[in-house]
């Protein structure tokens, strides 16, 4: 099943897509796609739900996100393009939840930005509380998956010293969606195609088969260092082709269009602007 949230920022309503991709209103069934609802998403025929007129804005497909957790250097080919040694354990950092925006919103480069970069990523959405779970049981705690773009200001991240979080957390640096797709519709999680284009030029081409740490291991590992709660989002790393890894490096400019896609999860289509 494909779940969405639609409407103006802060006023999103829950919805579903039917087999023809038409938007159906789910607000008569659940108040939002958030919290405990994610642990038991409604298993209903969307054709029985009201059709939504027009083409409303799609927001993040998950509401009330408590933690936005990111895994760094999780693709062997991405680590290679950066000249980095593949890690022995997952590299974990946080992204501010205030960075979250919808899949077709505007990426706003923050004041002083010179090196805003792109990172298409497969994101896990937690559906049930997870603490000290095994890899074998990890998927029982997953509500579904969506696209995330770990937008990064590299000068803030790499040149201001300190932790990566400061380069990852500007407003709009966390586009999520368009859809929350349940695990039963995802197929082989170890064979998903990921891509990202800037102004129609392919920048990133990758496959989840090159993940160093697979999804069950990531969920299990995180559950041993922090409690995971329904609605937590985990971005699982990016394939090669980021601007920082190019020779010479390439970064986003005002007016650019960024299109990110993952097998079975739809696409994000974002424009780039400037904040302040």
């Amino acid at each position: 099943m494909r779940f969405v949230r639609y409407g103006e920022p802060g006023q999103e309503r829950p919805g579903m897509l039917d087999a023809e991709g038409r938007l159906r209103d789910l607000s008569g069934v659940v108040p939002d796609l958030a919290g405990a609802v994610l642990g038991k998403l409604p298993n209903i025929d969307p054709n029985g739900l009201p059709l939504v007129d027009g083409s409303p804005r799609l927001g993040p497909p998950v509401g009330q996100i408590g933690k936005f957790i990111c895994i760094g250097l999780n693709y062997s080919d991405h680590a290679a393009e950066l000249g980095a040694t593949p890690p022995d354990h997952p590299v974990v950092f946080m992204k501010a939840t205030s960075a979250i925006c919808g899949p077709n919103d505007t990426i706003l480069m923050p004041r002083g930005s010179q090196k805003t970069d792109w990172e298409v990523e497969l994101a896990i959405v937690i559906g049930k509380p997870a603490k000290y779970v095994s890899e074998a049981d990890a998927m029982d705690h997953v509500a579904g998956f969506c696209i995330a773009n770990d937008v990064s200001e590299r000068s803030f991240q790499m040149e201001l010293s300190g932790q990566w979080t400061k380069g990852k957390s500007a407003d709009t640096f966390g586009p999520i969606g368009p859809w929350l797709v349940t695990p039963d519709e995802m197929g082989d999680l170890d064979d998903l195609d990921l891509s990202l284009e800037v102004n129609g030029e392919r920048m990133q081409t990758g496959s989840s088969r090159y993940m160093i740490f697979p999804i069950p291991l990531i969920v299990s590992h995180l559950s041993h260092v922090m409690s995971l709660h329904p609605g937590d989002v985990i971005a699982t790393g990016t394939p090669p082709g980021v601007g920082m890894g190019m020779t010479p490096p390439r970064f986003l400019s005002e007016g650019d269009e960024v299109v990110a896609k993952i097998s079975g999860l739809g696409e994000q289509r974002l424009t780039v602007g400037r904040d302040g």
Side-chain angles (χ1 to χ4, degrees), residues 57 60 62 65-68 95-102 105 169-176 233:
R57 167 189 175 270
V62 182
I65 294 170
K67 293 192 287 294
F68 196 165
K95 198 174 182 84
T97 55
S98 55
I100 294 168
C101 66
D105 291 344
S169 295
D171 293 350
T172 73
F173 270 27
I176 297 175
V233 173

Side-chain angles (χ1 to χ4, degrees), residues 140-158:
D140 293 338
H141 299 264
V142 174
F145 300 89
C146 60
I147 301 173
N149 190 338
D150 179 20
V151 183
S152 306
E153 178 25 73
R154 301 301 189 188
S155 59
F156 295 2
Q157 177 187 357
M158 312 299 286

